[in-house]
Structure formats: C-alpha cells, structure tokens
Amino acid sequence: MNKIIILAALSILGITACKTTVRQAPDNAEKNLNKRVDSVLVLMTLEEKIGQLNQFSGDGELTGPVALRPDLLKSIRDGKVGSMLNINGAEYTRKIQKIAVEQSRMKIPLIFGYDVIHGYKTIFPIPLGESASWDIEGVEKAARVAATEAAAAGQHWTFAPMVDIARDPRWGRVMEGSGEDPYLGSRLAEARVRGFQGTDLSDKTTILACAKHYAGYGNAQAGRDYYTTDISENSLREIYLPPFKAAAEAGVATFMSAFNDLNGIPATGNKYLIHDILKTEWAYKGMVVSDWGSISEMIIHGIAGNNYEAGDLAFNAGVDMDMEGSVYLTELPNLLKNSKITTAQIDESVRRVLRLKFMLGLFDDPYRYCNTDYEKKTLLKPEFLNAARDAARKSFVLLKNDKQVLPLNPAVKSVALIGPAADAANDMIGNWSGRGEGKDVITLKKELETRLGAGKVIYARGAGFNDGEKSGFAAALAAARRADVIIAAFGEAGMMSGESMSRADIGIPGVQEELILELAKLGKPMVLVLFNGRPLILTKVNATVPAILDAWIPGTMAGPALCDVLFGDYNPSGKLPITFPYALGQIPIFYDHKNSGRPGSQDQKYKSRYLDIPNDPLYPFGYGLSYTQFAYNNLNLNASIFTGDKPLEIRVDVKNTGLVAGTETVQLYIRDLVGSVTRPVKELKGFKKLILKAGEVQTISFTVTKEDLSFYNRNNIWGAEPGKFTVFVGTNSQNTIEAGFELK
Ligand code: GLC
C-alpha cells in the first residue's frame, strides 16, 4: 500500500532528479520542485513530519556528548528520523537507507551527514592551513575532491565549511576556519560551497554543504570553546556575519546554528539571528540544523527551564532540524497543541528538508550514493593525492629564511631530522580528519629517506609533543652534530586543536622549545618545520632559528609536499590568514583594528601601549616570504576624486627582483579615514595571486566600487560615506605602499 503512495505522488509529478541548487533554482524547476515536495507532504502524518526534523548520530563515531540512545533502527522504521550523521560507507549507508525506504510507512529516504572538513579519505591541510594559500581555485578543488570521495562513500551532506571568524588563537577551532578576516573568509566560504555542491546536487560527486556555526562562535570569551560571546551589532555585521552571507549567496544548502550564547541569547534559540536576519533579511531558503544537542543545552545555558521551552525557543527562532537532541520529537507535538507553534511552521521546516532530498535525487534513487565498487575505485585516487600534495605545499608559510638556509641542496650529504612531528603519521591529518588514516600518510621522515636515501637521514625524535621528558635531548643533539643540516620537525600534536581543544598557553608545547633552542645553538644551517593548528608564540625560536616554515597540519601528503618546498621544487607562497602574536598577552590581536585616540608604541607615555612588549605582532596578517623577493612600485589611481558612478581603478607594478620564479599574493587594503563610526586602520578589499619569473614585472589592477567602501554606519545602515580614503597595496598587511582618494 505505502509503496503505491510514494509512486503515485512521484508519477503525478513526472519525477526526475532536480538539476537545481538551493538558491539558483530557475522558476519552473523551483515550481516543479515545490509541487513534488507538497505532493509528499500532503500524505504525511504529524508524527512523520516531525520525524523529518530529527537527526540521530550513528553509534560508530559520536562527535558530541551522548544524548539518550533510542533504538535507532526502530526509530527509522517508525518514521521518526529524517537524517543520520556519522554513518559511513556505501554498504553501511545502503543498509540503513533500506530500512527507511522499505520499512517505514512513507518510505522517505534519509539524508546522511558527516564532518568532511578537510577531506574525506584523502586528507588535505586543515582549513586554516589551506586558507594560507589564498588560492580560491585550489580551495574549491580541494572541496570538490572531498565531496567526490564522501559521496562515493554514501554521504549526502557535509557539515562544512566552518566560516567562523576567529581572532583568539587559544580557541581550538581556529584550525577549522579561514582565520581573522571577513573578506578572505567570505571568498573562501564561497569557494568551499562551490566545491562541495558543484552546480547539480543530484550529481553523484556533489554533496550538500553547511555554513557553520551560525553565528559568532569564534568570538568565545578567553578563547574557551562553547563559551559566551558578546558582540556589538556593528561587529556582528562587519566581522562575523559576512562569511555566512557570502555562503548563503553562494547557495549553501544548509546552515548550522551555534552553541554559544550570543549577547544573552544562545545562537540556537536566537530569533533575531535566524528568523530575522538569515531567513527574512537574507531570504534564505535552505535548511537550518542545530549543532549537536544545542537545543537542549539551552536548559544548561539557563534560558529554558526544560526541553519544552528549549524546543519552543529553537523552533520559533527558525531551527528546522534537531541534531542529536530528541527535543523536537518529544516537544513539537505539545508545542503545537498549545499553539506555541503552528502546523504551517512545521510544514515549512519539513519542506526545507524534503527539498534537499529531491535535489539530491534521493527520491529517484535512494541508493545512488551506495555503490561499493565505485567507492573502492574513488577513495585515495592518485589524482586526489596529488591535489592534496599541491594544496599542502601552497599552504606552507615561510616565516623566516636568514642566510638563505632554504632551499636545501638536494645533494646535501647528511640531514639530521629531529622532533616529534618528523614521523608522526596521525598528527599529519589532525582533527576532523574524516575517514583519513595515518597508514596512508607519507611523513616527512619517510619522504626524506626516499629522496635522499635512508643513509643520509639521521633521525632522532628528541622529545614528545607535550611531555616533560628530556631524555631524548642528548641523542638529538648528537645526531645534529653529525649532520650538515638540521631539519627540526616540532609543534602541536594533531589533536591539540579542534573542537574542545582550547589552550591557555599557545607556546610550542612541552619541552620542545628548549630542544629547538639547544639545536639552534649548534650554529648549523637549520630549519624549523612547524606543525600547528593555530598561531603559536614563536618569539624565542624566531630570535635564534635561522629558518622557519609553517606547515600547519598538512594532511596525507605531508612529506612529499614538505620536501617539494624544502628542496626548492616549489617556491613557498603561503600568506598568514591570521596574526601570530608576539606574546600571549596581546590576544586578541588582529590587523584590522581601530586606531584609538592615542595610537602609539612601547616607548611613548600616554599612548596605547604595553610597558613590557611591543604592540606589533610577531608576524602580521598576510605575511609570508618566498625564495625570491618582490618589489612594489608605481601605485596609481585613475582618479583622486571618486564619485562612485564607475569603479575606481587601482594599478601597481610588482617586480620579481630575485633569482627564481615565485608566486606573490598582492593584497589590497583600504582605510576610511573618517566615518560616522570609528573605522579599522586597514581592511582587506582584494587580493590577486601572480606568478613572476625572475626579473619579471607585471602591472596588477584592482577596481573599487562604492559597495567596497560601504559599512554599517552609526545607525547600522549599510552604505558608503563621503570623505577621504587611503589605498594600501603590498605583500602583507604591514608592508604596503599607499595612495589617497576622496569619495564625493
Ligand atoms: C559537533 C560540532 C559540529 C559538528 C557536529 C556534528 O559538536 O560542533 O561542528 O558538525 O557536532 O559532528
């Protein structure tokens, strides 16, 4: 009987897969899609509708505190589950899907979701590292690869990109995002959405993306995860919302509401944030899922007395689906009965869920993503591994290279490889590494021995990542004394960043720094290859170690990518997406700060300063060296008075003044000198990557519109204000050349 219901509904509509996306559905496809959705909705009971708004995790990989564990399969059979997360593999997802599609009354397929954050099986650099590439195309390609692998393994939906702006490196989840800047964060959010979703969600290489964690999660006080956020309306609009808006405009299929208490109201129950801004002001048509258990956590926040009140807050705020909370299952019927919510609201949320299932093509073929042969052929394909290697080497940031220690001579006679990260496969894939495995990682040690021959590599671990053990120092120093060159592989273990991994002290952990400094005392050519999920305090090692290469958490192809850069096969081109503080006490520190009324420096009394440290960071936003050098000249604007009726043209000559080809990321910043609110001393408004041969000069042009000069003014109205502006162009946020214009 039931099968007939679905078939009847589908045949009425001439069912075909929806070649559309959440945002750009052309009218007829949109109308057709809505008709199909309504044809199913009309057949559903209230319990079945509410079931679609419920998401449970599989038992295999819990990614949050375990809520009640109902009989999952019975719940699916009873039509009480719309989506599952953490169910992996073509075979396993097929098994679970069969229960929904063949044993429930409505036979509505499940959506399977998973945290595909920086790769599914082939692991790419962590997003913060990938963001250091400033390579929009490359980032999109990485997401494309991740989606292709995930879809082959039965996934329909990734809980990515994480687009939280973060300016406090103590926060562990800074590793998951794109750093401190709204403009760079927005461009990267768009690229990741495009990469995951492609242009047709029914294609078997595309998956739904999810902009998370909406919103302000990265502003956690004291850098402690899940902690309170207090953000002015102006900062919310100027700093934290832009990447979410960019993701929405790029057509992201879903949003995830955040854990944090935002200005007194948890994001998951924040009607202003979800209903007013996202679903009304931005007219967002996608689906909003809560973060894990964040609905019932509003009881712990102290804004709901029980699940009934928490469900009321969340559902009326606009959260459509309840992840691992079981709140909606139990409370929506009562809320409806008590007229706290309406049937129309429930139908609207169910529509948002069903639309996605149609777009994915799941009503045509619920098993389209469950092909084990295709899965085997797809995971870890050589071209995916090559893409991961390319992404990794583009992510590395050369922080220091005194005496041209780098690139190393491939004919070097002996290399001492020291440190806990040298051969730590699991630490190369880090947190949120999906189904990635250490066994597939090529470590720096493995690759060095392959390239140089094991006889030339003198390896000594020297120290652990985070223990106080110094017994390995002697052997490490002995190894270093015997070698021509020292490669020091130190930093954070892969799981020292990520969710609930905040650190109060962001130095190089344990006794590693002590060993690094001892190694530097030997006075040999030495490079510190740093592995980190966040900015670290490097001030001491920076003072004595001649070369420092930031490798972040580089992924499956760590070793090959590192050797490509260390031996000069690839000239490093990364630029910091986040400031590296000079000292912990500077946090939060970021480049687009306000001027204050007393800007100054350490030696100036009655100025904004510290007595004991400089105001400047160790390494600023946008910083990164190359094996060559670039010079900026002839910055000129096509007008000194800008009326806004046509774009302002900005041109600059960039010359490679060194001896080898290199890639430079030319950065454009703007300062609004006087506004109805105080304005940042610089704001990134554009960037361009260019490859220059030795001696080559290129003229780069940017255009600036009135929209680029707009901001939320004193009344939180968006717009540009007449007045003087300064344009800065350069190689990082501190090293620029400038010119002025006036907006009339
Ligand atoms: C976690 C994370 C979120 C993730 C979700 C599912 O708690 O906060 O980013 O997508 O649960 O694993």
Side-chain angles (χ1 to χ4, degrees):
M1 163 57 189
N2 299 329
K3 209 168 178 74
I4 295 167
I5 293 176
I6 289 288
L7 287 178
L10 304 186
S11 59
I12 294 165
L13 301 146
I15 196 71
T16 51
C18 284
K19 303 264 184 294
T20 179
T21 62
V22 170
R23 192 174 69 89
Q24 285 93 7
D27 282 348
N28 56 342
E30 180 72 7
K31 286 200 192 87
N32 202 5
L33 172 62
N34 291 337
K35 266 167 57 179
R36 293 180 200 146
V37 165
D38 285 342
S39 73
V40 174
L41 190 70
V42 74
L43 302 172
M44 297 169 74
T45 65
L46 173 65
E47 288 66 31
E48 288 165 338
K49 290 178 182 176
I50 291 171
Q52 287 300 305
L53 309 182
N54 178 49
Q55 181 185 56
F56 279 142
S57 171
D59 286 323
E61 299 173 57
L62 294 175
T63 47
V66 179
L68 58 96
R69 302 304 302 153
D71 176 341
L72 284 178
L73 304 188
K74 183 178 181 314
S75 302
I76 295 169
R77 229 171 265 124
D78 295 348
K80 292 182 175 174
V81 186
S83 169
M84 296 284 294
L85 72 149
N86 300 330
I87 298 277
N88 269 293
E91 185 181 1
Y92 189 20
T93 50
R94 174 183 288 275
K95 176 172 168 271
I96 303 295
Q97 189 70 291
K98 250 172 100 70
I99 296 169
V101 167
E102 296 179 14
Q103 297 175 27
S104 74
R105 189 186 79 86
M106 280 298 297
K107 305 188 176 359
I108 296 173
L110 297 166
I111 291 184
F112 292 107
Y114 194 54
D115 292 285
V116 186
I117 309 297
H118 53 113
Y120 179 80
K121 190 71 182 174
T122 302
I123 303 305
F124 284 73
I126 53 170
L128 186 64
E130 210 181 44
S131 303
S133 72
W134 296 48
D135 177 11
I136 298 303
E137 290 72 34
V139 165
E140 180 173 341
K141 182 176 176 186
R144 193 91 285 287
V145 168
T148 305
E149 286 194 338
Q155 297 311 316
H156 308 132
W157 181 17
T158 177
F159 305 121
M162 185 273 220
V163 300
D164 300 307
I165 295 295
R167 304 168 147 204
D168 187 331
R170 293 172 294 180
W171 190 51
R173 302 197 77 164
V174 68
M175 59 78 70
E176 278 179 77
S178 300
E180 71 189 44
D181 182 69
Y183 180 88
L184 178 61
S186 298
R187 302 298 76 79
L188 291 168
E190 293 158 352
R192 287 177 171 131
V193 169
R194 288 194 302 266
F196 285 130
Q197 295 189 170
T199 54
D200 174 2
L201 285 169
S202 68
D203 183 301
K204 69 175 186 178
T205 65
T206 60
I207 54 177
L208 305 173
C210 179
K212 73 182 187 183
H213 307 78
Y214 188 65
Y217 184 32
N219 176 268
Q221 285 176 357
R224 272 173 51 194
D225 205 354
Y226 315 118
Y227 211 35
T228 308
T229 63
D230 209 357
I231 307 173
S232 71
E233 177 70 14
N234 193 268
S235 295
L236 186 65
R237 295 279 183 168
E238 290 282 338
I239 299 166
Y240 295 96
L241 290 185
F244 286 101
K245 192 161 191 283
E249 289 173 352
V252 72
T254 65
F255 265 58
M256 182 184 290
S257 68
F259 291 118
N260 52 291
D261 162 3
L262 173 63
N263 302 335
I265 301 175
T268 293
N270 197 308
K271 190 168 181 197
Y272 174 63
L273 204 54
I274 304 173
H275 176 270
D276 298 353
I277 295 179
L278 177 62
K279 291 191 170 180
T280 307
E281 188 181 323
W282 298 354
Y284 182 66
K285 296 284 179 274
M287 189 265 284
V288 178
V289 64
S290 71
D291 201 340
W292 184 294
S294 61
I295 296 177
S296 50
E297 282 181 15
M298 287 195 277
I299 300 169
I300 305 168
H301 273 288
I303 199 164
N306 49 46
N307 271 338
Y308 177 83
E309 291 173 10
D312 183 2
L313 267 175
F315 198 67
N316 280 306
V319 173
D320 299 302
M321 183 179 278
D322 171 8
M323 178 193 288
E324 263 298 335
S326 301
V327 172
Y328 281 5
L329 267 188
T330 55
E331 304 306 336
L332 290 192
N334 304 334
L335 288 163
L336 181 65
K337 199 161 60 194
N338 301 334
S339 307
K340 294 283 190 181
I341 62 174
T342 65
T343 305
Q345 278 177 282
I346 292 175
D347 287 354
E348 175 53 25
S349 290
V350 178
R351 280 196 187 91
R352 288 174 186 253
V353 175
L354 293 178
R355 276 167 60 90
L356 299 178
K357 296 186 177 184
F358 274 106
M359 286 177 183
L360 286 164
L362 292 176
F363 276 101
D364 310 329
D365 172 8
Y367 306 115
R368 65 193 302 126
Y369 301 86
C370 305
N371 178 322
T372 49
D373 293 340
Y374 173 64
E375 178 184 32
K376 277 196 198 78
K377 281 191 297 205
T378 304
L379 303 188
L380 290 171
K381 276 170 117 173
E383 61 259 42
F384 294 169
L385 291 167
N386 286 335
R389 175 177 182 165
D390 191 45
R393 57 192 181 197
K394 286 175 178 171
S395 73
F396 301 153
V397 183
L398 183 59
L399 298 175
K400 190 179 175 187
N401 192 23
D402 287 0
K403 303 181 205 129
Q404 303 309 302
V405 166
L406 295 177
L408 301 176
N409 183 339
V412 63
K413 290 193 178 57
S414 59
V415 168
L417 176 62
I418 314 291
D423 199 28
N426 289 327
D427 296 288
M428 296 298 107
I429 54 179
N431 210 328
W432 292 120
S433 51
R435 307 293 284 178
E437 294 181 86
K439 70 174 182 58
D440 300 316
V441 169
I442 303 176
T443 63
L444 177 56
K445 177 174 181 287
K446 215 184 282 180
E447 182 67 14
L448 267 176
E449 288 173 345
T450 303
R451 287 204 187 200
L452 301 178
K456 287 188 176 180
V457 180
I458 310 163
Y459 168 63
R461 191 164 188 264
F465 279 111
N466 199 21
D467 56 36
E469 190 47 65
K470 299 183 189 178
S471 57
F473 279 31
L477 291 164
R481 287 191 193 94
R482 289 168 41 209
D484 294 342
V485 169
I486 302 168
I487 299 178
F490 290 79
E492 289 185 318
M495 296 303 282
M496 292 182 85
S497 58
E499 183 174 358
S500 84
M501 304 296 176
S502 296
R503 292 179 64 207
D505 171 359
I506 55 169
I508 303 174
V511 295
Q512 297 182 68
E513 184 175 78
E514 194 177 329
L515 179 51
I516 295 166
L517 296 174
E518 287 302 311
L519 290 166
K521 282 179 190 164
L522 298 175
K524 292 190 173 224
M526 172 180 171
V527 52
L528 167 62
V529 181
L530 189 74
F531 297 85
N532 50 303
R534 55 164 59 81
L536 299 180
I537 304 298
L538 303 174
T539 309
K540 277 195 191 142
V541 296
N542 185 63
T544 63
V545 176
I548 303 175
L549 181 73
D550 193 339
W552 310 101
I553 308 283
T556 305
M557 297 298 277
L562 279 165
C563 286
D564 288 345
V565 170
L566 290 172
F567 291 100
D569 301 340
Y570 182 82
N571 183 351
S573 56
K575 297 282 185 179
L576 294 179
I578 190 167
T579 300
F580 274 53
Y582 178 90
L584 192 64
Q586 289 179 326
I587 292 172
I589 180 171
F590 40 88
Y591 85 93
D592 57 340
H593 57 80
K594 301 297 185 73
N595 203 31
S596 84
R598 295 191 175 189
S601 55
Q602 198 173 356
D603 54 357
Q604 294 175 290
K605 198 175 176 184
Y606 302 124
K607 295 291 185 185
S608 179
R609 65 162 182 178
Y610 302 99
L611 285 177
D612 48 349
I613 59 169
N615 289 352
D616 280 344
L618 184 64
Y619 304 119
F621 174 81
Y623 176 89
L625 302 178
S626 165
Y627 293 153
T628 187
Q629 293 75 40
F630 300 99
Y632 287 71
N633 291 295
N634 306 326
L635 172 61
N636 71 72
L637 315 180
N638 69 339
S640 56
I641 301 295
F642 177 46
T643 58
D645 54 1
K646 57 183 191 304
L648 180 72
E649 293 269 328
I650 298 164
R651 289 174 178 278
V652 66
D653 291 344
V654 184
K655 180 176 184 179
N656 178 342
T657 57
L659 303 175
V660 293
T663 301
E664 170 69 328
T665 301
V666 181
Q667 298 158 44
L668 168 71
Y669 299 88
I670 285 188
R671 180 180 183 178
D672 183 351
L673 295 173
V674 179
S676 59
V677 292
T678 55
R679 309 285 294 120
V681 295
K682 272 194 185 94
E683 289 179 286
L684 183 69
K685 293 292 181 185
F687 60 90
K688 290 194 176 175
K689 293 181 77 74
L690 65 152
I691 299 173
L692 289 175
K693 294 194 282 295
E696 184 183 359
V697 179
Q698 275 189 28
T699 299
I700 299 295
S701 65
F702 294 95
T703 56
V704 163
T705 63
K706 236 175 136 176
E707 182 69 10
D708 296 322
L709 306 178
S710 295
F711 63 100
Y712 286 91
N713 68 13
R714 185 175 298 174
N715 304 311
N716 278 318
I717 309 292
W718 176 257
E721 295 176 353
K724 289 188 169 49
F725 291 79
T726 304
V727 170
F728 306 87
V729 178
T731 189
N732 65 56
S733 58
Q734 278 184 352
N735 184 353
T736 56
I737 54 179
E738 59 188 77
F741 68 92
E742 184 170 358
L743 172 65
K744 286 287 185 201

